[in-house]
């Protein structure tokens, strides 16, 4: 009994002790406090969380909070969107916590022409690209890093092959023949190719879009300016970073080819249409080879046979760091990409060295060295394998290639045959040396000497073996050797002065003198009748012919100045002027003058908004000015003679004769005058930030070719005429939905719309007094530069339609119907209409989520209202004429049993007005990027002696929604196919 009582007492004591310990462990206290902003005003909605836990609350409208915490809690983490998170010690039961504004976009330093500026102090239209997000695309094509990243910047796929390029247009085409490519500036140096900088070396990208920001580059800035800044060393211990990835690319498309059975049926339908609705026997419409293929089901999908998945490998290692006086950044990059088509590929190695050296308190210098070597292998065959009949035998019974896969009687060449029997490679070596010397006379007055030398040597070798189809004329191999040497030399004298006035008046002045010389030398020879095929174009040949050499040179002398004035940190003024003399223009008009002015009002700094809790940033800007375009060949203002031998006295005598181009001694600059009105805003503690801009740019004195009368002795001349207008809107928005210690979620969007119109040409009038268009050149007054002139497709003639009384009385059921625009009962030139090719608008939506070490980035790119003429739906050679002779893109064509209203009935002759049915909507929506990444936590990094480590998986071009039938809605099917890719990568920091 006693033992039982004692045991109960022990249990009771144990339970009591456990209860006490539990209460002790869960003992809590209440902490109260107020969270204030940088001005001492309460911050409603601020997050207050016990560090390392999920226990937290939010402040009320008065910025106050009350939170129960354990006795062991030592720290609180207070955060608010747009403010720096703050860790606070729990030292009392009531805390007053002040947060500091985060170094946000307003304090971001933006690179502008010949200097930098805080974003809040910008006057002109400058768009910054998020390089971290842009660089997730596995490519050497820096142009593609800009796609969907900045309002007003349109990137169109130019060449999807490895080492290819894209076309960049900023705020529409401002020129017809003078070129529309933007000026590329890398570390203050003009580059002729944006892809000459490795994506891994890029630190910042800015786009100058209006006259005020562009005018500092005057002569070449009419098409916009892209400023790229490469990475530089920073003071501190040296860091080593590695980035490597592998990508698998595969075909993406939006069409099917006719299968062999469908192709055979297409031919049967074509023959039936012209045979009184009766199908002809297969023996009458197919040859014996084709009948055998049909019988044995010996079919070929040429697309699957020619196109293969391809791999990309990239490795980049960089070292950066330094002391107060010496800072160094150096990188080595290696990139290799195989093409979807065999024998195509691109390989490049890059070495960069950026050094900042301070020699004394007044004297310093920078050295930027960029060296590249690359090899591009081009596919050595036409891409038009789409149109080859699927009733084919690409290999013989022993597995060897058949040169003539459609039988010996056919002249169609096996594309794999020509790929095997040819080579086309371009090897390039590039060296850039940029030396900048700076002397600081006074803290507010400096002189800078900027020098640059570029040397690019490119060698191309093309070889067609003795077995290649082009050698069927008996030539034992044919080769072409070509070299291109490009040299660029620049010297700039730069003076910067910032007068010391007071805090209310800030002024900085810039004066620059520049000399730039660019020289190109091109040589080529043709070699024929080689001894053998083993050495390709490097072998000995019996015949050397077509030796050519072309030299061109252009020089530019410039003087420019800029004054920027800041009044009360509210009213910002910029005046810019630049004078350029270009050697490419005529003697009478070498010089061009390009002034610009801009004003910005920081409205949020006014007293009536300074304490606003809703509007944190509000800036209105207006700019106006001129920029120029020198985008013509160096000799187009001159009279040029050509070698023209003649017979005199029975002997051939060397001579020279004028070419077909009449010289123009008064040829001068194209000048673009642009107005830009913009507003930048930040709302709700910068949760919502963005900008809206309207622009209008008029280009006068267009550099155009004019056709001359034959009696002049010349065919054409280049002169200044006409005017083109671009106008539109750019919108950029960003929403920081969540931003605290553990979770960040933001959504961004850009939207751009441009309208382009030719306002006038040479002023010549027709008999009715209306201005004449340049019809042969496709230029029409009142229409955009990029246009399609064609008949308007109106469906397909159906049973029961009144064809006899229409404007097409000889048409038959199943034929294409076009609109009689002028209503005269006939279809003629007056019924041609003009359709704009450029989109109504384009833009992107992106989302970025970070949760602790996890990251997700998604980017949706949208083009709406674009139009293209698809020549794979209109041309015979592309298999579009529905005759069953060539294969092609599968379409819903008309048959009596299935009467389509989209494409005509197959016939043995090509359909009339077929090109009108091939004008198609090229709008699309594409998931351009989806990237998932994981950053290792600091605890794990310390164990493996790394400062950072990230692994990621990225999908590129994962899906495209479009009605346009091609490999890409930006190109027709005959171009090198676009691809989708899956990338696995790793980033390490030592």
């Amino acid at each position: 009994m006693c033992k039982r009582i004692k045991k109960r007492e022990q249990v009771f004591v144990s339970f009591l002790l456990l209860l006490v310990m539990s209460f002790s462990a869960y003992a809590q206290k209440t902490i109260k406090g107020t969270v204030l902003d940088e001005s001492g005003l309460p911050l409603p909605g601020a997050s207050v969380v016990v560090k390392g836990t999920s226990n937290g609350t939010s402040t009320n409208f008065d910025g106050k909070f009350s939170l129960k915490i354990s006795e062991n809690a030592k720290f609180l983490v207070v955060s608010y969107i747009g403010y720096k998170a703050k860790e606070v010690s729990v030292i009392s039961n009531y805390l007053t916590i002040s947060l500091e504004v985060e170094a946000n976009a307003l304090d971001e330093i933006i690179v502008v022409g010949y200097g930098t500026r805080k974003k809040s102090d910008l006057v002109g239209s400058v768009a910054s690209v998020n390089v971290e997000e842009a660089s997730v695309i596995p490519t050497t094509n820096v142009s593609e890093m800009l796609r969907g990243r900045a309002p007003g910047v349109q990137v169109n796929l130019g060449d999807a092959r490895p080492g290819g390029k894209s076309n960049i247009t900023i705020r529409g085409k401002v020129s017809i023949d003078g070129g529309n490519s933007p000026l590329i500036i890398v570390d203050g140096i003009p580059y002729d190719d944006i892809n000459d900088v490795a994506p891994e070396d890029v630190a910042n990208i800015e786009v100058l879009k209006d006259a005020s920001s562009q005018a500092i580059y005057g002569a070449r800035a009419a098409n916009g300016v892209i400023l790229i800044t490469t990475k530089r060393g920073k003071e501190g211990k040296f860091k080593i970073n590695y980035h490597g990835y592998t990508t698998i690319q595969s075909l993406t498309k939006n069409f099917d080819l006719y299968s062999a059975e469908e192709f055979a049926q297409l031919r049967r339908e074509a023959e039936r249409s012209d045979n009184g609705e009766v199908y002809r026997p297969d023996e009458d419409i197919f040859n014996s080879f084709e009948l055998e293929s049909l019988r044995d089901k010996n079919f070929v999908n040429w697309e699957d046979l020619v196109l293969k998945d391809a791999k990309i490998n990239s490795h980049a290692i960089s070292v950066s760091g330094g002391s107060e006086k010496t800072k160094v950044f150096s990188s080595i990059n290696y990139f290799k990409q195989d093409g979807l088509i065999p024998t195509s590929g691109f390989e490049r190695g890059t070495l960069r060295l950026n050094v900042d050296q301070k020699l004394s308190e007044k004297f310093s210098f920078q050295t930027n060295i960029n060296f590249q070597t690359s090899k591009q292998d081009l596919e050595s065959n036409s891409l038009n394998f789409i149109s080859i009949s699927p009733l084919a035998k690409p290999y013989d019974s022993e597995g060897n290639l058949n040169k003539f896969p459609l039988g010996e009687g056919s002249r169609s060449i096996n594309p794999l045959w020509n790929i095997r029997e040819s080579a086309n490679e371009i090897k390039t070596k590039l060296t850039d040396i940029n030396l900048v010397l700076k002397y600081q006379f006074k803290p507010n007055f400096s002189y800078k000497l900027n020098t640059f030398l570029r040397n690019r040597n490119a060698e191309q070798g093309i070889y067609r073996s003795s077995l290649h189809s082009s050698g069927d004329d008996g030539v034992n191999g044919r080769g072409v050797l070509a070299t291109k040497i490009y040299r660029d030399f620049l010297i700039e004298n730069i003076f910067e002065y910032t007068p010391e006035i007071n805090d209310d008046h800030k002024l900085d002045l810039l004066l620059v003198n520049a000399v730039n010389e660019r020289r190109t030398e091109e040589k080529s020879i043709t070699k024929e009748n080689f001894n053998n095929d083993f050495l390709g174009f490097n072998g000995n040949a019996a015949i050397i012919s077509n030796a050519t050499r072309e030299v061109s040179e252009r020089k530019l002398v410039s003087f420019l100045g800029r004054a920027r004035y800041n009044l009360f940190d509210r009213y910002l003024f910029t005046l810019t002027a630049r004078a350029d003399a270009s050697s490419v223009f005529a003697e009478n008009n070498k010089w061009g003058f390009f002034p610009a002015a801009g004003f910005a009002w920081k409205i949020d700094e006014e007293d009536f908004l300074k304490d606003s809790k809703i509007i944190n940033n509000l800036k209105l800007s207006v700019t106006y000015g001129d920029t120029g375009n020198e985008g013509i060949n160096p000799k187009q203002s001159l009279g040029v003679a050509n070698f023209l031998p003649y017979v005199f006295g029975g002997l051939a005598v060397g001579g020279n004769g004028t070419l077909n181009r009449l010289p123009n001694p008064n040829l001068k600059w194209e000048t673009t005058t642009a107005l830009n009105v913009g507003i930048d805003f930040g709302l709700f503690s910068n949760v919502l930030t963005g900008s809206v801009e309207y622009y209008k740019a008029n280009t006068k004195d267009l550099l155009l070719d004019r056709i001359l009368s034959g009696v002049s002795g010349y065919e054409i001349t280049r002169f200044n005429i006409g005017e083109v207008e671009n106008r539109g809107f750019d919108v950029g928005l960003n929403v920081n939905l969540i931003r605290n210690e553990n979770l960040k979620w933001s959504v961004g969007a850009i939207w751009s719309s441009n309208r382009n119109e030719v306002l006038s040409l040479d002023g010549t009038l027709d008999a009715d007094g209306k201005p004449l268009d340049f019809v042969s050149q496709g230029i029409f007054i009142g229409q955009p530069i990029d246009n399609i002139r064609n008949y308007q497709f109106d469906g397909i003639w159906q049973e029961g339609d009144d064809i006899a009384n229409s404007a097409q009385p000889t048409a038959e059921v199943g034929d294409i119907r076009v609109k009689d625009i002028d209503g005269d009962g006939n279809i003629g030139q007056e019924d041609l209409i003009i359709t704009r090719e450029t989109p109504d608008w384009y833009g992107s939506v992106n989302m970025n989520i970070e949760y602790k070490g996890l990251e997700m980035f998604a980017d949706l790119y949208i083009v709406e209202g674009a139009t293209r003429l698809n020549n794979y739906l209109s041309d015979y050679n592309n298999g579009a004429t529905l005759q069953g002779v060539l294969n092609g893109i599968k379409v819903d064509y008309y048959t009596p049993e299935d009467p389509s209203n989209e494409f005509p009935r197959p016939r043995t002759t090509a359909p009339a007005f077929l090109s009108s049915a091939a004008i198609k909507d090229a709008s699309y929506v594409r998931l351009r990027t989806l990237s998932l990444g994981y950053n290792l936590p600091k605890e794990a990094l310390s164990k493996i002696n790394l400062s950072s480590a990230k692994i990621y998986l990225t999908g590129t071009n994962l899906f495209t929604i479009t009605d346009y039938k091609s490999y890409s809605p930006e190109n027709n099917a005959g171009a090198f196919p676009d691809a989708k890719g899956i990338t696995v990568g790793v980033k390490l920091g030592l």
Side-chain angles (χ1 to χ4, degrees), residues 20-36:
V20 171
M21 291 175 62
S22 298
F23 274 110
S24 175
Y26 286 96
Q28 291 183 322
K29 61 181 178 181
T30 299
I31 296 295
K32 297 182 179 182
T34 304
V35 179
L36 307 175

PDB file of all heavy atoms in Angstrom, residues 20-36:
ATOM      1  N   VAL A  20       5.314  22.481 -15.219  1.00  0.00           N
ATOM      2  CA  VAL A  20       6.066  23.722 -14.968  1.00  0.00           C
ATOM      3  C   VAL A  20       7.009  24.014 -16.112  1.00  0.00           C
ATOM      4  O   VAL A  20       7.156  25.150 -16.575  1.00  0.00           O
ATOM      5  CB  VAL A  20       6.822  23.620 -13.627  1.00  0.00           C
ATOM      6  CG1 VAL A  20       7.782  24.795 -13.468  1.00  0.00           C
ATOM      7  CG2 VAL A  20       5.847  23.568 -12.469  1.00  0.00           C
ATOM      8  N   MET A  21       7.697  22.937 -16.575  1.00  0.00           N
ATOM      9  CA  MET A  21       8.640  23.106 -17.679  1.00  0.00           C
ATOM     10  C   MET A  21       7.912  23.561 -18.943  1.00  0.00           C
ATOM     11  O   MET A  21       8.413  24.391 -19.705  1.00  0.00           O
ATOM     12  CB  MET A  21       9.397  21.802 -17.938  1.00  0.00           C
ATOM     13  CG  MET A  21      10.370  21.421 -16.819  1.00  0.00           C
ATOM     14  SD  MET A  21      11.141  19.820 -17.100  1.00  0.00           S
ATOM     15  CE  MET A  21      12.011  20.133 -18.625  1.00  0.00           C
ATOM     16  N   SER A  22       6.724  23.017 -19.173  1.00  0.00           N
ATOM     17  CA  SER A  22       5.951  23.383 -20.355  1.00  0.00           C
ATOM     18  C   SER A  22       5.561  24.841 -20.305  1.00  0.00           C
ATOM     19  O   SER A  22       5.689  25.583 -21.284  1.00  0.00           O
ATOM     20  CB  SER A  22       4.707  22.496 -20.474  1.00  0.00           C
ATOM     21  OG  SER A  22       5.085  21.144 -20.619  1.00  0.00           O
ATOM     22  N   PHE A  23       5.069  25.274 -19.111  1.00  0.00           N
ATOM     23  CA  PHE A  23       4.708  26.687 -18.980  1.00  0.00           C
ATOM     24  C   PHE A  23       5.921  27.585 -19.159  1.00  0.00           C
ATOM     25  O   PHE A  23       5.846  28.652 -19.727  1.00  0.00           O
ATOM     26  CB  PHE A  23       4.045  26.940 -17.629  1.00  0.00           C
ATOM     27  CG  PHE A  23       2.581  26.676 -17.626  1.00  0.00           C
ATOM     28  CD1 PHE A  23       2.059  25.592 -16.929  1.00  0.00           C
ATOM     29  CD2 PHE A  23       1.722  27.507 -18.339  1.00  0.00           C
ATOM     30  CE1 PHE A  23       0.700  25.344 -16.949  1.00  0.00           C
ATOM     31  CE2 PHE A  23       0.362  27.254 -18.339  1.00  0.00           C
ATOM     32  CZ  PHE A  23      -0.158  26.167 -17.644  1.00  0.00           C
ATOM     33  N   SER A  24       7.060  27.073 -18.655  1.00  0.00           N
ATOM     34  CA  SER A  24       8.281  27.871 -18.790  1.00  0.00           C
ATOM     35  C   SER A  24       8.676  28.001 -20.244  1.00  0.00           C
ATOM     36  O   SER A  24       9.088  29.063 -20.705  1.00  0.00           O
ATOM     37  CB  SER A  24       9.404  27.219 -17.987  1.00  0.00           C
ATOM     38  OG  SER A  24      10.612  27.909 -18.193  1.00  0.00           O
ATOM     39  N   ALA A  25       8.540  26.871 -20.992  1.00  0.00           N
ATOM     40  CA  ALA A  25       8.941  26.878 -22.405  1.00  0.00           C
ATOM     41  C   ALA A  25       8.040  27.765 -23.226  1.00  0.00           C
ATOM     42  O   ALA A  25       8.466  28.388 -24.190  1.00  0.00           O
ATOM     43  CB  ALA A  25       8.935  25.454 -22.955  1.00  0.00           C
ATOM     44  N   TYR A  26       6.773  27.810 -22.832  1.00  0.00           N
ATOM     45  CA  TYR A  26       5.826  28.578 -23.642  1.00  0.00           C
ATOM     46  C   TYR A  26       5.476  29.920 -23.032  1.00  0.00           C
ATOM     47  O   TYR A  26       4.519  30.561 -23.428  1.00  0.00           O
ATOM     48  CB  TYR A  26       4.542  27.763 -23.848  1.00  0.00           C
ATOM     49  CG  TYR A  26       4.745  26.649 -24.843  1.00  0.00           C
ATOM     50  CD1 TYR A  26       5.052  25.361 -24.381  1.00  0.00           C
ATOM     51  CD2 TYR A  26       4.656  26.890 -26.206  1.00  0.00           C
ATOM     52  CE1 TYR A  26       5.247  24.327 -25.281  1.00  0.00           C
ATOM     53  CE2 TYR A  26       4.862  25.852 -27.107  1.00  0.00           C
ATOM     54  CZ  TYR A  26       5.145  24.575 -26.642  1.00  0.00           C
ATOM     55  OH  TYR A  26       5.339  23.569 -27.533  1.00  0.00           O
ATOM     56  N   ALA A  27       6.247  30.360 -22.063  1.00  0.00           N
ATOM     57  CA  ALA A  27       6.016  31.676 -21.477  1.00  0.00           C
ATOM     58  C   ALA A  27       6.200  32.737 -22.549  1.00  0.00           C
ATOM     59  O   ALA A  27       7.156  32.693 -23.308  1.00  0.00           O
ATOM     60  CB  ALA A  27       6.979  31.898 -20.318  1.00  0.00           C
ATOM     61  N   GLN A  28       5.249  33.635 -22.665  1.00  0.00           N
ATOM     62  CA  GLN A  28       5.282  34.639 -23.716  1.00  0.00           C
ATOM     63  C   GLN A  28       5.166  36.033 -23.138  1.00  0.00           C
ATOM     64  O   GLN A  28       4.733  36.223 -21.996  1.00  0.00           O
ATOM     65  CB  GLN A  28       4.140  34.384 -24.711  1.00  0.00           C
ATOM     66  CG  GLN A  28       4.303  33.130 -25.554  1.00  0.00           C
ATOM     67  CD  GLN A  28       3.176  33.006 -26.556  1.00  0.00           C
ATOM     68  OE1 GLN A  28       2.027  33.325 -26.248  1.00  0.00           O
ATOM     69  NE2 GLN A  28       3.515  32.559 -27.744  1.00  0.00           N
ATOM     70  N   LYS A  29       5.547  36.979 -23.974  1.00  0.00           N
ATOM     71  CA  LYS A  29       5.347  38.376 -23.625  1.00  0.00           C
ATOM     72  C   LYS A  29       4.875  39.114 -24.867  1.00  0.00           C
ATOM     73  O   LYS A  29       5.023  38.634 -25.989  1.00  0.00           O
ATOM     74  CB  LYS A  29       6.640  38.988 -23.098  1.00  0.00           C
ATOM     75  CG  LYS A  29       7.795  38.969 -24.089  1.00  0.00           C
ATOM     76  CD  LYS A  29       9.051  39.573 -23.467  1.00  0.00           C
ATOM     77  CE  LYS A  29      10.236  39.512 -24.433  1.00  0.00           C
ATOM     78  NZ  LYS A  29      11.465  40.082 -23.840  1.00  0.00           N
ATOM     79  N   THR A  30       4.292  40.263 -24.671  1.00  0.00           N
ATOM     80  CA  THR A  30       3.751  41.049 -25.770  1.00  0.00           C
ATOM     81  C   THR A  30       4.657  42.253 -26.041  1.00  0.00           C
ATOM     82  O   THR A  30       4.978  43.010 -25.121  1.00  0.00           O
ATOM     83  CB  THR A  30       2.332  41.533 -25.450  1.00  0.00           C
ATOM     84  OG1 THR A  30       1.487  40.392 -25.243  1.00  0.00           O
ATOM     85  CG2 THR A  30       1.791  42.379 -26.596  1.00  0.00           C
ATOM     86  N   ILE A  31       5.041  42.371 -27.298  1.00  0.00           N
ATOM     87  CA  ILE A  31       5.860  43.498 -27.738  1.00  0.00           C
ATOM     88  C   ILE A  31       4.985  44.408 -28.582  1.00  0.00           C
ATOM     89  O   ILE A  31       4.290  43.950 -29.496  1.00  0.00           O
ATOM     90  CB  ILE A  31       7.077  43.036 -28.555  1.00  0.00           C
ATOM     91  CG1 ILE A  31       8.006  42.202 -27.671  1.00  0.00           C
ATOM     92  CG2 ILE A  31       7.843  44.224 -29.124  1.00  0.00           C
ATOM     93  CD1 ILE A  31       8.626  42.988 -26.537  1.00  0.00           C
ATOM     94  N   LYS A  32       5.021  45.690 -28.265  1.00  0.00           N
ATOM     95  CA  LYS A  32       4.297  46.672 -29.051  1.00  0.00           C
ATOM     96  C   LYS A  32       5.287  47.671 -29.632  1.00  0.00           C
ATOM     97  O   LYS A  32       6.420  47.792 -29.180  1.00  0.00           O
ATOM     98  CB  LYS A  32       3.258  47.389 -28.198  1.00  0.00           C
ATOM     99  CG  LYS A  32       2.158  46.481 -27.656  1.00  0.00           C
ATOM    100  CD  LYS A  32       1.134  47.263 -26.858  1.00  0.00           C
ATOM    101  CE  LYS A  32       0.031  46.344 -26.344  1.00  0.00           C
ATOM    102  NZ  LYS A  32      -1.017  47.098 -25.593  1.00  0.00           N
ATOM    103  N   GLY A  33       4.817  48.385 -30.675  1.00  0.00           N
ATOM    104  CA  GLY A  33       5.708  49.366 -31.261  1.00  0.00           C
ATOM    105  C   GLY A  33       5.092  50.098 -32.440  1.00  0.00           C
ATOM    106  O   GLY A  33       3.928  49.878 -32.796  1.00  0.00           O
ATOM    107  N   THR A  34       5.897  50.981 -33.034  1.00  0.00           N
ATOM    108  CA  THR A  34       5.487  51.780 -34.184  1.00  0.00           C
ATOM    109  C   THR A  34       6.593  51.713 -35.229  1.00  0.00           C
ATOM    110  O   THR A  34       7.777  51.829 -34.901  1.00  0.00           O
ATOM    111  CB  THR A  34       5.239  53.243 -33.803  1.00  0.00           C
ATOM    112  OG1 THR A  34       4.279  53.283 -32.749  1.00  0.00           O
ATOM    113  CG2 THR A  34       4.738  54.042 -34.994  1.00  0.00           C
ATOM    114  N   VAL A  35       6.182  51.551 -36.481  1.00  0.00           N
ATOM    115  CA  VAL A  35       7.139  51.529 -37.602  1.00  0.00           C
ATOM    116  C   VAL A  35       6.962  52.818 -38.399  1.00  0.00           C
ATOM    117  O   VAL A  35       5.839  53.147 -38.821  1.00  0.00           O
ATOM    118  CB  VAL A  35       6.930  50.298 -38.501  1.00  0.00           C
ATOM    119  CG1 VAL A  35       7.911  50.320 -39.672  1.00  0.00           C
ATOM    120  CG2 VAL A  35       7.102  49.011 -37.686  1.00  0.00           C
ATOM    121  N   LEU A  36       8.064  53.532 -38.601  1.00  0.00           N
ATOM    122  CA  LEU A  36       8.042  54.830 -39.286  1.00  0.00           C
ATOM    123  C   LEU A  36       8.874  54.776 -40.563  1.00  0.00           C
ATOM    124  O   LEU A  36       9.802  53.967 -40.692  1.00  0.00           O
ATOM    125  CB  LEU A  36       8.590  55.919 -38.358  1.00  0.00           C
ATOM    126  CG  LEU A  36       7.955  56.039 -36.976  1.00  0.00           C
ATOM    127  CD1 LEU A  36       8.699  57.072 -36.144  1.00  0.00           C
ATOM    128  CD2 LEU A  36       6.471  56.397 -37.093  1.00  0.00           C
TER     129      LEU A  36
END
